[in-house]
Amino acid sequence: AMNTAESLLYLLRQGQRPTEFEVDILDLALLLHAEHGGGNNSSFTTYVVTSAESDIYGTITAAIGSLKGPLHGAANKKVMSMMDDIKSNVSNWSNRDEVCKYLERIIKKEVFDQSGKLYGLGHAVYTKSDPRATLLKEKAELLADQVGRRDEFNLYCLIEEEGPNVFNR
């Protein structure tokens, strides 16, 4: 029998079986994003709705609906959009100075979406790091090596390392 991650990948690929590694990554991502410390928007919503003794359908629908807004469910999309912008506007992804200068321009609201935010860095719940990121980063590195995208992985690591420093300048 297939687990949820395997079934989802199987459906998305129209009947092509995913690799064990792909299933492992998606399974981990689903688990870590479904619940992180009880403060997750959708988890909180399930507590509220079930406290009213609603049924499972109303509860899950409400939880999914709570993720629809741009401040929660769309956060990953914002990160990817920002990363695409950085990749398009930084010519040498391994040049620390060039990357930092572009991050500074994002923070100064000169480029990207003019919000001044570096999306994906500094989740408000975690003061030092997001424990989910540690586990996902290990898998991302393995995946990057498998698919020949080590340069992109290294860029993400550089942004992760330098982003907080750019804010403190």
Side-chain angles (χ1 to χ4, degrees), residues 82-83 86 90 96-111 116-118 121 155 158-167 169:
M82 182 186 75
M83 292 302 179
I86 292 169
V90 172
R96 185 173 299 268
D97 189 50
E98 185 180 356
V99 171
C100 287
K101 283 181 180 173
Y102 197 74
L103 294 178
E104 286 174 13
R105 292 188 67 207
I106 292 174
I107 291 169
K108 291 177 181 176
K109 302 180 181 182
E110 296 173 357
V111 294
K117 296 178 183 177
L118 292 180
L121 300 177
L155 171 65
L158 179 58
I159 292 167
E160 175 190 32
E161 182 183 331
E162 290 295 338
N165 298 331
V166 172
F167 272 115
R169 289 186 185 161

Side-chain angles (χ1 to χ4, degrees), residues 118-130:
L118 292 180
Y119 296 98
L121 300 177
H123 193 296
V125 174
Y126 307 109
T127 56
K128 299 244 184 241
S129 69
D130 182 338

Side-chain angles (χ1 to χ4, degrees), residues 40-56:
N40 180 306
N41 197 22
S42 60
S43 298
F44 177 74
T45 301
T46 63
Y47 301 143
V48 172
V49 177
T50 57
S51 74
E53 297 185 2
S54 183
D55 64 14
I56 188 70

Side-chain angles (χ1 to χ4, degrees), residues 47-153:
Y47 301 143
V48 172
V49 177
T50 57
S51 74
E53 297 185 2
S54 183
D55 64 14
I56 188 70
Y57 305 106
T59 301
I60 298 303
T61 302
I64 291 169
S66 76
L67 294 176
K68 186 177 181 186
L71 295 181
H72 211 285
N76 290 340
K77 186 176 178 183
K78 269 296 206 191
V79 170
M80 294 311 299
S81 180
M82 182 186 75
M83 292 302 179
D84 287 342
D85 180 75
I86 292 169
K87 289 185 291 187
S88 295
N89 290 287
V90 172
S91 60
N92 182 351
W93 296 356
S94 62
N95 183 317
R96 185 173 299 268
D97 189 50
E98 185 180 356
V99 171
C100 287
K101 283 181 180 173
Y102 197 74
L103 294 178
E104 286 174 13
R105 292 188 67 207
I106 292 174
I107 291 169
K108 291 177 181 176
K109 302 180 181 182
E110 296 173 357
V111 294
F112 183 50
D113 67 355
Q114 286 82 36
S115 70
K117 296 178 183 177
L118 292 180
Y119 296 98
L121 300 177
H123 193 296
V125 174
Y126 307 109
T127 56
K128 299 244 184 241
S129 69
D130 182 338
R132 297 170 301 161
T134 304
L135 296 169
L136 290 170
K137 186 175 180 180
E138 291 172 10
K139 297 293 184 186
E141 184 172 17
L142 292 171
L143 180 62
D145 287 338
Q146 278 190 10
V147 299
R149 292 173 71 175
R150 173 53 91 152
D151 57 340
E152 188 173 350
F153 177 80

